[in-house]
């Protein structure tokens, strides 16, 4: 239960940050392409050459959009587990409240509070809720959660494919730029 709440809190934060990342997506993509696409980088063993597959793999590793989609998928899977557990397991809540309570005299309109004599206020609540036969509601909740997982899985696949398309466009645009630059240099030498 705590894990589901933490994932939902993360999901809410990720929805807010998605708007921010949406604006920076092309900037991050250009940054990734510029790191990948001088087409030669220097590693431990000397120059390393990146191809399209290497750039796509690196972009998938660092993409915030893919991470958001993966988190949404984990949330949907947790909701399936919660829906399955709701069919069998009872829900138990325990609340214990403790706090200081000053002595009060009088009525609600005219009262006198004596802060010198504090006492302790204690309240305890426990509730146990056992799911009953609900004419298909629990089964429908479980089916909806399973459908949510398949939708989030499709969203993850879509997010990955969109990123692959963007990296491929940037990759071939960079190659075209290099070819055009070489052509311009050749034309400049001829003139």
């Amino acid at each position: 239960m705590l894990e589901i709440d933490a994932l939902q809190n993360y999901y809410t934060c990720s929805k807010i940050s998605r708007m921010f990342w949406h604006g920076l997506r092309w900037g991050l993509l250009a940054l990734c392409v510029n790191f990948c696409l001088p087409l030669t980088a220097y590693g431990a063993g000397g120059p390393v050459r990146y191809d399209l597959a290497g750039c796509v793999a690196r972009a998938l590793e660092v993409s915030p959009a893919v991470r958001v989609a993966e988190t949404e998928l984990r949330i949907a899977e947790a909701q399936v587990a919660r829906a399955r557990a709701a069919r069998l397991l009872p829900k138990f809540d325990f609340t214990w409240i403790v706090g200081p309570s000053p002595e009060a005299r009088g009525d609600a309109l005219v009262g006198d509070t004596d802060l010198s004599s504090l006492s302790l206020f204690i309240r305890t609540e426990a509730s146990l809720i056992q799911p009953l036969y609900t004419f298909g509601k629990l089964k429908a909740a479980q089916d909806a959660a399973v459908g949510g997982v398949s939708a989030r899985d499709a969203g993850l696949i879509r997010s990955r494919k969109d990123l692959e398309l963007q990296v491929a466009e940037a990759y071939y645009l960079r190659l075209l730029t290099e070819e055009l630059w070489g052509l311009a240099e050749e034309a400049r030498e001829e003139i």
Side-chain angles (χ1 to χ4, degrees):
M1 184 77 166
L2 184 60
E3 180 182 336
I4 293 171
D5 292 337
L7 284 173
Q8 286 176 339
N9 189 14
Y10 181 78
Y11 174 70
T12 303
C13 291
S14 70
K15 282 176 69 176
I16 293 169
S17 68
R18 189 180 318 153
M19 293 184 294
F20 173 75
W21 288 114
H22 181 72
L24 290 179
R25 180 175 56 193
W26 284 104
L28 290 173
L29 182 63
L31 183 66
C32 178
V33 167
N34 281 330
F35 278 117
C36 291
L37 281 184
L39 296 181
T40 305
Y42 292 95
V48 178
R49 193 162 180 90
Y50 284 99
D51 59 347
L52 179 60
C55 291
V56 168
R58 180 68 181 142
L60 287 173
E61 287 176 11
V62 299
S63 172
V66 172
R67 288 185 183 174
V68 167
E70 289 170 350
T71 302
E72 289 174 352
L73 180 61
R74 284 197 309 265
I75 290 171
E77 289 169 349
Q79 288 173 343
V80 167
R82 179 191 277 179
R84 286 185 179 144
R87 295 184 72 180
L88 305 172
L89 300 176
K91 180 181 177 187
F92 179 72
D93 288 329
F94 182 77
T95 306
W96 187 48
I97 301 171
V98 177
S101 175
E103 184 179 337
R105 300 189 185 276
D107 58 9
L109 297 176
V110 180
D112 184 27
T113 302
D114 183 16
L115 294 177
S116 63
S117 60
L118 288 175
S119 62
L120 199 59
F121 169 78
I122 300 173
R123 178 178 175 177
T124 305
E125 287 183 26
S127 65
L128 180 69
I129 301 171
Q130 175 63 43
L132 300 174
Y133 184 69
T134 58
F135 304 101
K137 286 184 181 178
L138 293 175
K139 177 69 173 144
Q142 185 176 355
D143 291 343
V146 169
V149 167
S150 63
R152 298 297 183 194
D153 190 34
L156 176 61
I157 291 170
R158 179 179 156 227
S159 176
R160 286 181 177 163
K161 295 298 181 186
D162 286 346
L163 185 64
E164 288 175 11
L165 177 66
Q166 292 170 358
V167 170
E169 287 175 351
Y171 180 86
Y172 287 116
L173 184 64
R174 175 67 186 246
L175 289 178
L176 177 66
T177 304
E178 287 180 1
E179 288 294 322
L180 290 176
W181 184 259
L183 184 64
E185 288 290 323
E186 184 181 323
R188 186 176 62 89
E189 289 174 6
E190 290 293 324
I191 294 177

